[in-house]
Amino acid sequence: MSWDSTTATRRLAGLPEPEPLHPDLAARLVRRAGRLPALEHPLIVQAPYIPPLASYVNGLYESLRQRAEALLVARNFDSWLDLHSRPHRAEVLVLHADRIEHDTWWSLLASVFRSDPPWHDDEPRHWTRALSSDKPQRTIFMTRQERELLDTLPAMISVWRAVPAADPQSGISLFLDRETAQDFAREAVEQLQLESGDFVLQSARIPRSRVLAASLARGMPELLAADGTVEGVTPV
């Protein structure tokens, strides 16, 4: 432990040093410029993270971890997924894909997407990995209307993609016209509290086989795909 005024005070008072954070949790401490560290684990989110509470957090984590495993073994997948924080649910589905039958897994993934459609993929690309899964029957992810939308697409599709300017590879949403892509980008900037221009538009032409799924979750025709060939970039 580093020597600072808090450490010195505890030692002078004869108090024990705080318990170290569990390694699983320590690996999920996120440090951002100008902010206190935040704990961003699928089972525990704490912002800011308060080191003196490590003992309590460790105990809570162990309890939640055991509960999650019991639910998974019991195949109570809905309750198991609900135990995890919403931003991390695609991540835990990818992590435990081999323990869940494909039809249930795709249904769970669809419920996660529809409850909180992501504006872009996270850095480990959990959504791309999930949607690209080789589990059979990916069509279960889609509603009947979404499957019909996908079936009407031509072999080659002209699309627009709205992506974060700092990480264009993280874009997973494609649109069939520029105006819808612009609306998506503007709403993303507003919802994520970004600056104008933090999302840009890319035009591309891709084969339909690259489209992983269609979605109407946002009330607009949306295609989901990994990064495609970019022909141009236009600031929003």
Side-chain angles (χ1 to χ4, degrees), residues 26 28-38 40 49:
R28 303 301 292 257
L29 275 177
V30 178
R31 293 173 172 81
R32 297 182 177 92
R35 299 184 185 181
L36 294 172
E40 298 181 4
Y49 166 65

Side-chain angles (χ1 to χ4, degrees), residues 102-103 106-107 110 114 136-143 147:
H102 60 266
D103 52 347
W106 284 116
S107 295
R114 293 192 179 96
Q137 298 188 26
R138 184 185 290 113
T139 54
I140 294 173
F141 177 84
M142 295 178 281
T143 64
R147 291 194 296 270

Side-chain angles (χ1 to χ4, degrees), residues 8-25:
T9 300
R10 296 181 67 86
R11 290 180 177 176
L12 287 171
L15 297 175
E17 294 183 355
E19 179 179 315
L21 194 60
H22 190 286
D24 291 354
L25 301 178

